[in-house]
Amino acid sequence: MGLESFFEQKGDKGIVIFAGKGGLGKTTCSAGLSHYMASKRGRRVMCFSTDPQASLSDIFDRDIFGKGTIQVIPNLDVVEIDADKRVADYQAEVKQKILTMYGLTELPQEIEEYIDSTSAEPAMYESATYDAMADLVATSHHDLYVFDMPPFGHGVRMIAMAEILSKWVGKITEAREKAQEYEAIAATLKGGKVSEDEVLRELNDIQAKITRFTDLMVDQKRTSFFMVLIPERMAILDTERALQMFDALGLQMAGLIVNQVYPPELLEAKGEAGEFMRNRAQSQQKYLAEIKSKFGSKVVAVLPMYPKEPRGLDMIARVSEDLMHGPGL
């Protein structure tokens, strides 16, 4: 049991995405797998957090947020993006391009306000995150990319976002191509030379990048989605919904990881405090049986509830061994 056999069969290159609700252990699993592949397999690993409630800094016990690429151990690089800053940088870039394109010294107030207002759009954060993921995969040349996804949408929403972005860029490109036709006619009538359309070239570059990355995300030979859950009712229901979403997209979840499982010894706990823990452990047993019944062979690893918070390299190394070689249900 554990992920070791999965990666022995599949190979340990490509992309791994941990999805699921917040607070269930996606970051713990991301850090554990990354640490194992870098330290035991000698792979060059990039661990990337897309979660706005930044947590790689917490689990690696280092200030990583917004600092770019940080090497935490040999072969293991970690990135935790500041999505708000990335959105602000993008807005500044758009404003500068408009100024350059039309030879303006300042933007009309209504255009400036419109661009500023886009930062409040929920999709803007996801777009910035998606863009950062695509950039990393295109430029950083690692063997394995491990993405700790935000808690919404089970990671599937990022694939849907790619489709939305692609359609949006396609519409803008279509409009720009039409404008270029008119500009070419006007230039010909004036006897001038048609200049290269920088905006259109950039739109085509964006479209190509989205297409390349989306193709990679849905390529199940190179990309694996794992979902993390705990033995509780809401997590089980959420997992069922996520599996339905994957089926609707024609994708297959590579496996489920059950986290925060109490040691069976607690079923025999004594005393007043023991009664509390015994009840908790008994409740988990019911839900573990339900997980086994509903998801069966999809469960690829089980992680225990640790006696202390999984934080720092020593605890991450312990998690990594349980993740790769731990017991089954």
Side-chain angles (χ1 to χ4, degrees), residues 52-64:
Q53 296 174 328
S55 42
L56 286 179
S57 290
D58 290 336
I59 200 163
F60 282 107
D61 207 14
R62 290 184 59 169
D63 184 11
I64 295 167

Side-chain angles (χ1 to χ4, degrees), residues 63-70 80:
D63 184 11
I64 295 167
F65 182 72
K67 299 289 192 301
T69 300
I70 303 289
E80 195 166 59

Side-chain angles (χ1 to χ4, degrees), residues 187-316:
T188 302
L189 290 174
K190 292 176 182 176
K193 185 179 178 183
V194 180
S195 60
E196 183 183 10
D197 191 325
E198 291 292 327
V199 176
L200 190 56
R201 187 168 62 82
E202 186 163 339
L203 285 169
N204 286 329
D205 288 345
I206 293 171
Q207 183 69 273
K209 184 169 70 172
I210 292 172
T211 301
R212 280 197 303 272
F213 188 58
T214 306
D215 288 347
L216 187 57
M217 290 267 283
V218 300
D219 181 354
Q220 296 181 53
K221 292 180 180 175
R222 300 182 63 189
T223 300
S224 304
F225 281 84
F226 291 96
M227 187 158 180
V228 184
L229 74 158
I230 59 175
E232 290 186 1
R233 178 174 172 73
M234 290 305 296
I236 293 171
L237 293 175
D238 192 60
T239 301
E240 287 182 307
R241 283 194 291 269
L243 290 172
Q244 289 168 3
M245 291 168 71
F246 268 75
D247 284 344
L249 286 171
L251 297 174
Q252 186 174 6
M253 191 84 73
L256 305 178
I257 296 160
V258 185
N259 191 25
Q260 301 178 11
V261 176
Y262 290 122
E265 295 78 20
L266 287 182
L267 293 168
E268 307 299 328
K270 306 293 183 186
E272 189 172 341
E275 181 182 2
F276 172 80
M277 296 309 300
R278 192 169 61 248
N279 288 339
R280 294 286 295 170
Q282 285 174 346
S283 174
Q284 276 204 346
Q285 289 299 310
K286 180 180 72 174
Y287 290 122
L288 287 170
E290 186 174 346
I291 289 170
K292 191 172 184 177
S293 169
K294 287 186 171 177
F295 307 129
S297 60
K298 293 185 185 301
V299 176
V300 292
V302 177
L303 295 178
M305 173 69 86
Y306 294 99
K308 64 177 184 178
E309 188 179 5
R311 181 178 182 184
L313 291 177
D314 288 344
M315 280 302 295
I316 292 173

Side-chain angles (χ1 to χ4, degrees), residues 103-253:
L104 302 173
T105 55
E106 63 179 279
L107 288 179
Q109 184 179 355
E110 59 271 25
I111 293 179
E112 179 122 22
E113 288 176 353
Y114 173 74
I115 294 173
D116 289 340
S117 71
T118 59
S119 62
E121 291 285 337
M124 183 61 86
Y125 174 87
E126 291 171 83
S127 174
T129 302
Y130 190 91
D131 193 51
M133 292 168 68
D135 271 348
L136 270 179
V137 173
T139 61
S140 69
H141 308 297
H142 287 73
D143 298 319
L144 179 69
Y145 296 87
V146 179
F147 291 118
D148 175 20
M149 298 297 280
F152 45 77
H154 314 104
V156 173
R157 188 164 162 175
M158 298 302 288
I159 296 174
M161 172 56 61
E163 187 176 350
I164 293 168
L165 281 174
S166 183
K167 286 180 178 175
W168 180 78
V169 172
K171 287 287 183 188
I172 300 293
T173 302
E174 187 179 324
R176 189 65 200 177
E177 285 172 341
K178 186 62 70 178
Q180 194 184 31
E181 287 179 17
Y182 295 139
E183 289 173 9
I185 293 170
T188 302
L189 290 174
K190 292 176 182 176
K193 185 179 178 183
V194 180
S195 60
E196 183 183 10
D197 191 325
E198 291 292 327
V199 176
L200 190 56
R201 187 168 62 82
E202 186 163 339
L203 285 169
N204 286 329
D205 288 345
I206 293 171
Q207 183 69 273
K209 184 169 70 172
I210 292 172
T211 301
R212 280 197 303 272
F213 188 58
T214 306
D215 288 347
L216 187 57
M217 290 267 283
V218 300
D219 181 354
Q220 296 181 53
K221 292 180 180 175
R222 300 182 63 189
T223 300
S224 304
F225 281 84
F226 291 96
M227 187 158 180
V228 184
L229 74 158
I230 59 175
E232 290 186 1
R233 178 174 172 73
M234 290 305 296
I236 293 171
L237 293 175
D238 192 60
T239 301
E240 287 182 307
R241 283 194 291 269
L243 290 172
Q244 289 168 3
M245 291 168 71
F246 268 75
D247 284 344
L249 286 171
L251 297 174
Q252 186 174 6
M253 191 84 73

